[in-house]
Amino acid sequence: MPEPYILVLYYSRHGNTRQLAKLIARGVEAAGMTARIRTVPAVSTVCESTEAAIPDSGELYCSLEDLRDCAGLALGSPTRFGNMAAPMKYFLDGTAALWLNGALCDKPAAVFTSTSSLHGGQESTLLSMMLPLLHHGMVILGLPYREAALNSTQSGGTPYGASHWAGQDGKRPITAEEQALCLALGKRLVQFARR
């Protein structure tokens, strides 16, 4: 049987959500489980446009097998008008075969996001990412208030999942509190995946 892993699946246009994914993966590995980081291709308005099977740089594209075989999932997307980005929604819309056979039922899942404005819909984006996971029968994990950083953050971080306020230019660094919450989320996924 293959070694269990937490799938850290994200889409990132400018790199901030990717940074969060790497921090969550660090939390997963600090808790003693393998993190498999994957991304999804961009969606084009040109119907004939396709992406190469392997991206030019960064993580590999996620396969349905990566998702099916994971012990737990961390799902991340930038905020787009208070919702997940279209490439992540497009990928999730293609997971009906996994839904039909209950492949993800009872596996733990958590969500994370990055946004350019402080009140730009972090929480609604996190909630929008939870919906398809609930339909898959996954067990949604948030961040409990026992995480000290959740009580002291001045930027990202919610009980619904990890988040980052990147600023209008996308260059605000990830704060110590945002980092701590990403690491905690990764560790929490491992704790529940082992159960």
Side-chain angles (χ1 to χ4, degrees):
M1 202 163 145
E3 179 183 349
Y5 62 88
I6 300 295
L7 177 62
V8 182
L9 176 58
Y10 74 93
Y11 174 73
S12 187
R13 178 97 185 234
H14 301 293
N16 288 298
T17 308
R18 182 176 191 248
Q19 289 180 52
L20 297 179
K22 291 192 173 290
L23 286 164
I24 291 167
R26 265 186 34 208
V28 167
E29 294 187 347
M33 192 174 279
T34 300
R36 182 177 294 183
I37 305 175
R38 294 289 186 266
T39 190
V40 297
V43 173
S44 174
T45 57
V46 179
C47 294
E48 294 80 21
S49 178
T50 60
E51 294 279 349
I54 298 175
D56 292 334
S57 63
E59 281 71 42
L60 296 174
Y61 294 136
C62 188
S63 69
L64 290 180
E65 292 75 22
D66 286 327
L67 185 55
R68 179 195 67 205
D69 297 338
C70 73
L73 172 67
L75 185 70
S77 171
T79 294
R80 296 289 186 264
F81 302 105
N83 207 331
M84 74 179 99
M88 185 58 72
K89 177 74 167 73
Y90 183 81
F91 175 81
L92 292 171
D93 284 348
T95 62
L98 299 179
W99 171 75
L100 283 170
N101 66 26
L104 301 178
C105 280
D106 301 325
K107 293 182 182 187
V111 292
F112 60 100
T113 191
S114 178
T115 184
S116 61
S117 59
L118 183 57
H119 302 292
Q122 291 180 31
E123 291 176 342
S124 62
T125 299
L126 295 171
L127 291 168
S128 79
M129 286 190 291
M130 290 178 189
L131 297 177
L133 305 182
L134 288 165
H135 278 263
H136 273 289
M138 299 189 88
V139 178
I140 306 298
L141 303 178
L143 285 163
Y145 276 97
R146 72 172 175 240
E147 296 297 335
L150 198 54
N151 293 297
S152 62
T153 184
Q154 298 284 312
S155 55
T158 79
Y160 308 111
S163 63
H164 167 56
W165 173 31
Q168 291 292 337
D169 61 0
K171 295 188 186 328
R172 284 179 57 89
I174 295 175
T175 67
E177 290 87 1
E178 292 169 340
Q179 288 180 38
L181 293 170
C182 285
L183 294 170
L185 194 60
K187 291 174 183 174
R188 194 154 198 252
L189 273 167
V190 171
Q191 175 189 355
F192 281 83
R194 286 201 170 118
R195 288 183 184 174

